[in-house]
Amino acid sequence: MIMTLDNIIQEIEKAQSIVILTHETPDGDAIGSSLAMRVALKQIGKEPDVVIREVPKIFDFLPGRDEIKSDSDIEEYDLAISLDCADFKRLVGNEYFEKAKQTIVIDHHGSNKMYGDINFVNPVAPACCQILIGMFQYFDIKIDKELGTCILTGIITDTGGFRYSGVTPETFEFTAELLEKGVNVSEIYKRVLETKTKANFELMKRTVNRMEFLEDGKVTFTYITNKDLEEVDAKIGDHEGLVENGRDIEGVEVSVFIRQRDNDENTYKVSMRSNDYVNVSDVCLMFGGGGHERAAGAIVQGDIEQVKQKVMKELKKVI
Ligand code: AMP
Ligand code: MN
Ligand code: MN
């Protein structure tokens, strides 16, 4: 059911115990929106738990990072809030979501499955964090330096540093307000976008070397295996940004990057990015995945060659 902000605040006010959850392999928008929600709810007298099992090191500077739990003793929360996650099966800690008395989904993916009791989904918002700005203003929550830092982290990561088409005048207005409040925008930018881990850099070298140009140079394809991840001692999040290298080459419409899954050798996580006209979310939906028009993902079975063939068969229809 789609409901209003009044329904959301009513449920939050009623709840004694609240858990905040987000998607697997969490990015800046996932972690940023979860921590922002925590700071905001504390302001109105709540003590929510944030359950995220793995947090990339680059987000260690975020306010409230140390309060993140990998599990909780509470089995049955009054309220579970899912942020930046289109699909129940990608939600980490979905056992808490399933058992909670009331559930709220707040997201910006067009492919959202509306799996909450209350679903607040705005597919044109450039980041889940940007949805939270309007929501918090409506709830009369003061967006201070701490809260602003969490929100801006999500906006900067999901918009590739204010570059993608989803950016709105509000994105810049909000950033300008935060600058006035003393939030160090360039510092956040540097930490979450410009600083690479050593392992990420090593993976980039491999993916760039292996990159193939297909369909008259309109598609790039590259991959990473578990052996690569092991050899460079990759940690969670170290694959971030690799798919973008292919997309940013002249003449390329779609960049495809596949990464072997550690729990099943014969399964790959597929990431796609497009430039102008291919709706990669629709392509990924064919494999049970989803995302946004210009950035999407899915899980596909097979070895590298089989996954490549399956993906290219679908891409040929739209390229
Ligand atoms: P990624 O390529 O992992 O950075 O993901 C790009 C976008 O697609 C993000 O907005 C993800 O939420 C979404 N996405 C990635 N993998 C999946 C999946 N298996 N199912 C649904 N959506 C996905
Ligand atoms: Mn995300
Ligand atoms: Mn997002």
Side-chain angles (χ1 to χ4, degrees):
M1 204 191 313
I2 297 165
M3 292 206 231
T4 65
L5 290 177
D6 288 324
N7 299 119
I8 293 179
I9 194 69
Q10 277 161 19
E11 292 304 332
I12 290 172
E13 275 166 358
K14 246 176 32 197
Q16 296 290 321
S17 57
I18 302 175
V19 65
I20 296 166
L21 306 166
T22 190
H23 65 79
E24 61 187 4
T25 48
D27 50 28
D29 195 29
I31 312 267
S33 56
S34 301
L35 290 177
M37 185 57 84
R38 176 182 172 273
V39 175
L41 296 191
K42 278 176 79 83
Q43 247 191 59
I44 52 175
K46 302 290 168 182
E47 279 295 334
D49 287 335
V50 178
V51 176
I52 304 175
R53 305 234 153 93
E54 291 178 296
V55 181
K57 221 171 56 206
I58 57 163
F59 302 117
D60 279 355
F61 73 100
L62 283 177
R65 160 67 186 91
D66 294 340
E67 305 303 322
I68 293 177
K69 299 179 172 186
S70 50
D71 269 305
S72 167
D73 301 331
I74 305 175
E75 271 181 32
E76 218 183 288
Y77 283 92
D78 291 339
L79 175 65
I81 304 175
S82 160
L83 294 159
D84 193 41
C85 183
D87 200 331
F88 176 79
K89 67 178 197 285
R90 295 195 77 219
L91 187 69
V92 173
N94 57 13
E95 65 274 21
Y96 299 112
F97 193 90
E98 205 161 26
K99 287 188 192 139
K101 296 194 186 90
Q102 193 49 239
T103 59
I104 300 176
V105 170
I106 302 169
D107 187 29
H108 70 126
H109 292 90
S111 59
N112 191 289
K113 302 248 167 66
M114 307 280 179
Y115 53 95
D117 297 321
I118 298 178
N119 299 286
F120 195 85
V121 177
N122 177 1
V124 298
C128 185
C129 275
Q130 186 160 318
I131 300 177
L132 296 185
I133 301 170
M135 193 173 273
F136 293 162
Q137 284 165 344
Y138 190 86
F139 298 163
D140 273 330
I141 285 166
K142 194 168 136 267
I143 300 185
D144 55 11
K145 198 173 164 177
E146 205 185 6
L147 192 43
T149 300
C150 298
I151 293 177
L152 202 58
T153 294
I155 292 178
I156 288 177
T157 49
D158 262 26
T159 63
F162 308 111
R163 283 181 303 151
Y164 300 153
S165 55
V167 168
T168 65
E170 292 76 38
T171 317
F172 290 108
E173 280 157 18
F174 176 73
T175 308
E177 274 172 38
L178 287 185
L179 263 174
E180 276 168 10
K181 286 179 186 161
V183 173
N184 195 336
V185 177
S186 67
E187 173 76 9
I188 298 175
Y189 199 107
K190 196 173 160 73
R191 278 180 187 269
V192 300
L193 281 188
E194 291 184 344
T195 315
K196 287 182 169 54
T197 61
K198 189 82 195 320
N200 177 257
F201 183 71
E202 291 300 328
L203 291 176
M204 185 172 83
K205 290 202 295 198
R206 293 180 190 213
T207 52
V208 167
N209 272 330
R210 288 170 187 164
M211 196 174 285
E212 283 178 73
F213 288 84
L214 307 163
E215 297 298 304
D216 287 331
K218 292 199 198 90
V219 178
T220 58
F221 175 86
T222 191
Y223 64 90
I224 282 292
T225 62
N226 284 330
K227 188 161 164 278
D228 294 312
L229 295 166
E230 225 169 86
E231 281 170 4
V232 306
D233 192 22
K235 301 280 185 299
I236 176 100
D238 279 336
H239 63 279
E240 291 287 345
L242 299 175
V243 64
E244 269 112 50
N245 292 318
R247 180 203 59 193
D248 295 340
I249 302 166
E250 193 178 21
V252 173
E253 173 56 21
V254 179
S255 165
V256 181
F257 163 61
I258 70 169
R259 176 170 51 97
Q260 197 171 24
R261 302 241 295 170
D262 56 3
N263 53 359
D264 181 357
E265 291 224 317
N266 210 39
T267 304
Y268 282 78
K269 163 68 206 283
V270 177
S271 283
M272 286 188 207
R273 298 293 183 270
S274 66
N275 276 310
D276 296 320
Y277 61 92
V278 173
N279 185 333
V280 284
S281 180
D282 281 353
V283 177
C284 287
L285 267 173
M286 300 300 229
F287 301 105
H292 309 285
E293 283 183 25
R294 301 282 169 265
I299 309 286
V300 180
Q301 296 265 336
D303 60 24
I304 295 174
E305 202 48 40
Q306 288 165 332
V307 172
K308 182 170 134 191
Q309 295 310 329
K310 284 184 188 178
V311 166
M312 288 313 296
K313 191 170 167 219
E314 292 309 317
L315 275 177
K316 272 185 194 325
K317 297 178 188 166
V318 288
I319 202 85

